[in-house]
Amino acid sequence: MIDYETLFKISYGLYIVCSGDKNKGNGFISNTIFQVTAEPARFAACCNKNNHTAQFIQKTGSFSVSVLHKDTSPDIFGRFGYKSGKDFNKMEGMDIRYGETGVPIVLNEAIAFFECKLVQTFDVGTHLLFIGELIQAQLLDNTREPITYQYYRQVKKGVAPKNAPTYVDQSKLQQKADGSVFKKYKCTACGYIYDEEKEGKKFTELPSDWVCPVCGTAKEDFIEI
Amino acid sequence: MIDYETLFKISYGLYIVCSGDKNKGNGFISNTIFQVTAEPARFAACCNKNNHTAQFIQKTGSFSVSVLHKDTSPDIFGRFGYKSGKDFNKMEGMDIRYGETGVPIVLNEAIAFFECKLVQTFDVGTHLLFIGELIQAQLLDNTREPITYQYYRQVKKGVAPKNAPTYVDQSKLQQKADGSVFKKYKCTACGYIYDEEKEGKKFTELPSDWVCPVCGTAKEDFIEI
């Protein structure tokens, strides 16, 4: 028996993982970053094969990780989490530093960053596991706490995008549902679910200028599920 | 420049990872567990090559992950985190359930558990990355929060054991020394001074049951000077 709610008991942070160079770069929101060895310090970053940034990492052989803080604005999640760099330049207008390898590092809302040189790539199915050796690490703000995935889900009401390794199909969670009359509406951009039962208010009663709390998409772009 | 303090901004949970069977099993405390794919649900677990449990995982082809809660007793960390199963039977006296693969699952202080069948093993240097496909996941206690590595470090004052991928050599933290990295702590009862520089160990790293070597006063009754 697999209870998919259980998967939310695994703890993660939230990061912007970037790659590319001064001419062209891209980044995405990731929760799956962890250290794999201490000597030398190496990190694993998990990335969907369809993710635009995956191509940059393979091409340039380096990536950066920016650690986001607890009060990171929905704009950052909207820009890096739910939109594809195939369609627009995510780096435009951002506060960027270029690392020792030339990789872009997003400084907006970051409390720390790492720069890694790719040393191994493993194919784990739909995703690639990039192993990077740490070549630079800097603390930018020691007064703010890093955001956790749990906080993002519970307080910020965020959900993982479809490309995330931790994406959970809502129908799997609803296997436990009791068939209540409350409805659920889904943001067509980021997948955020407005659950009438949890919110205590009908979706149709929300003001017309109400927007998705995760990515800022208009109310009219929600669909009933 | 690598500021090793930065590594503590990566968020992790804390888990007991077990392998073996009814006759013989072993487990260790891990913070490096993450999901790598959603379809099918697969998890990565990072394990030192010298870790006794690594042999069991390779031999039996399965492992379990027990998610520890915030108030997990120091006994559990002592038993599974800082002792080797080469020297004693860690499973003895524990509340164990055997999974579908026969793998032991520790239920003590666990709020959830996962059982995984090994599908890939990657060598990342000092450590192995085990990729396991989820075959069972159960929630045991939804009222308690999972413990995070940050909470363990900051509130419980725990440190990673030497085999952990996130172990940080204290001398590296002191590389960024500004001349005052070593602190002194005074026993409020007898006046004994604990000098970190002389002792070669941070006061915060001393176990919580450490007492003043002179008069036996509890660690918590020391003040920084």
Side-chain angles (χ1 to χ4, degrees), chain A residues 17-20 24-28 47-60 80 83-91 128 130 163:
Chain A
V17 175
C18 283
S19 191
K24 191 143 177 51
N26 199 55
F28 70 105
C47 183
N48 193 292
K49 287 176 180 173
N50 294 328
N51 196 314
H52 197 43
T53 310
Q55 296 168 25
F56 285 96
I57 296 176
Q58 288 173 301
K59 201 173 135 199
T60 63
F80 289 100
K83 286 175 184 163
S84 174
K86 290 166 192 160
D87 310 322
F88 89 116
N89 182 3
K90 292 189 187 183
M91 313 311 263
L128 295 171
F130 293 118
N163 270 356

Side-chain angles (χ1 to χ4, degrees), chain A residues 9 39 120 123 137 142 172, chain B residues 9 39 120 123 142 172:
Chain A
K9 302 298 177 190
E39 287 290 344
Q120 289 173 298
D123 188 329
N142 210 10
K172 284 189 178 164
Chain B
K9 301 299 176 189
E39 287 290 344
Q120 288 172 300
D123 188 329
N142 210 9
K172 284 190 175 161

